[in-house]
Amino acid sequence: MAMWMVANCKNGVSSWEVHRTLGITQKSAWHMVHRIRLALKPTFNHKFGFGGPVESDEVFIGPNPQKMHKARKAKIQARDEQKAGFVGKTAVQGILDREYRQVRTQVLPNLKRETLQGMILDNVTPFSRVFTDEAMAYDGLSKNFIHKVVNHSQEYVRGQVHTNGIENFWSLVKRSLKGTYMQSSRSIFRLISMNKCSGITIAPLRTTR
């Protein structure tokens, strides 16, 4: 029953919900849900980019700083040394292979160039087509890939060059987390995001230009 709940609930399932449904303690439900998430962890043995282009984008996921108590906001900001608009948020990078329709995510310690490009180098075949936004951290990818950039201040789609697929994935993840996981640590979100990668299918995008 717990396996079915974790695999089929689009918005995810909390340990408290499993506790109420199965009639077990919340601690047992928490342990069980974590074991199920680890069992559902996708295993990728191939690199992206063999058949189609790869999209890469990053996102901040977490609470709304404007709705946080002033004291708690200041405490988290001092601890994590984050800017006001990103207090309590977790940086996550995702790459989407349009051919496989698969997504891989990684919780980031920072948004430095070597961090963002490192994930692409580890997961994408050299000289594949890689589409990103205009973030400066992606500068230099053209040394190893066919790198195309879409400047979101001017356009969102230029023929096949866009990041709408991975951004669609982020919108699905955010909507599924909202209302279920009120507070998630970096380690917990790593498991949740991996389960979303295995549970969400990205439909192919068609462009007319």
Side-chain angles (χ1 to χ4, degrees), residues 177-190:
L177 294 177
K178 187 176 181 180
T180 301
Y181 304 99
M182 300 302 180
Q183 184 175 355
S184 299
S185 65
R186 287 175 176 265
S187 59
I188 302 302
F189 182 77
R190 186 176 291 109

Side-chain angles (χ1 to χ4, degrees), residues 63-82:
N64 185 349
Q66 296 180 349
K67 298 181 180 180
M68 297 176 67
H69 190 277
K70 184 178 180 180
R72 181 169 180 264
K73 180 178 178 180
K75 180 179 179 181
I76 297 177
Q77 189 173 3
R79 182 192 66 192
D80 299 338
E81 298 182 353
Q82 293 177 318

Side-chain angles (χ1 to χ4, degrees), residues 87-106:
V87 174
K89 292 184 179 293
T90 299
V92 185
Q93 182 182 8
I95 56 175
L96 162 69
D97 188 303
R98 293 185 190 172
E99 182 71 20
Y100 291 121
R101 286 192 251 171
Q102 293 178 349
V103 177
R104 297 180 189 176
T105 61
Q106 173 179 295

Side-chain angles (χ1 to χ4, degrees), residues 78-131:
R79 182 192 66 192
D80 299 338
E81 298 182 353
Q82 293 177 318
K83 296 182 180 179
F86 302 98
V87 174
K89 292 184 179 293
T90 299
V92 185
Q93 182 182 8
I95 56 175
L96 162 69
D97 188 303
R98 293 185 190 172
E99 182 71 20
Y100 291 121
R101 286 192 251 171
Q102 293 178 349
V103 177
R104 297 180 189 176
T105 61
Q106 173 179 295
V107 176
L108 301 175
N110 54 64
L111 294 179
K112 294 182 179 179
R113 179 176 302 180
E114 54 269 22
T115 304
L116 292 178
Q117 295 192 16
M119 181 182 181
I120 298 176
L121 290 169
D122 293 340
N123 291 278
V124 181
T125 306
F127 304 108
S128 301
R129 289 176 292 166
V130 177
F131 301 155

Side-chain angles (χ1 to χ4, degrees), residues 9 12-13 33 38 43 48 60 81 96 101 103-104 108 110 117 128 145 152 155 166 172 175 197 200 207 209:
C9 293
V13 59
V33 169
L38 286 172
T43 55
F48 285 176
F60 283 91
E81 298 182 353
L96 162 69
R101 286 192 251 171
V103 177
R104 297 180 189 176
L108 301 175
N110 54 64
Q117 295 192 16
S128 301
F145 306 97
H152 286 165
E155 58 187 358
I166 188 64
L172 293 173
R175 284 200 297 268
C197 290
I200 296 178
T207 57
R209 291 185 293 172

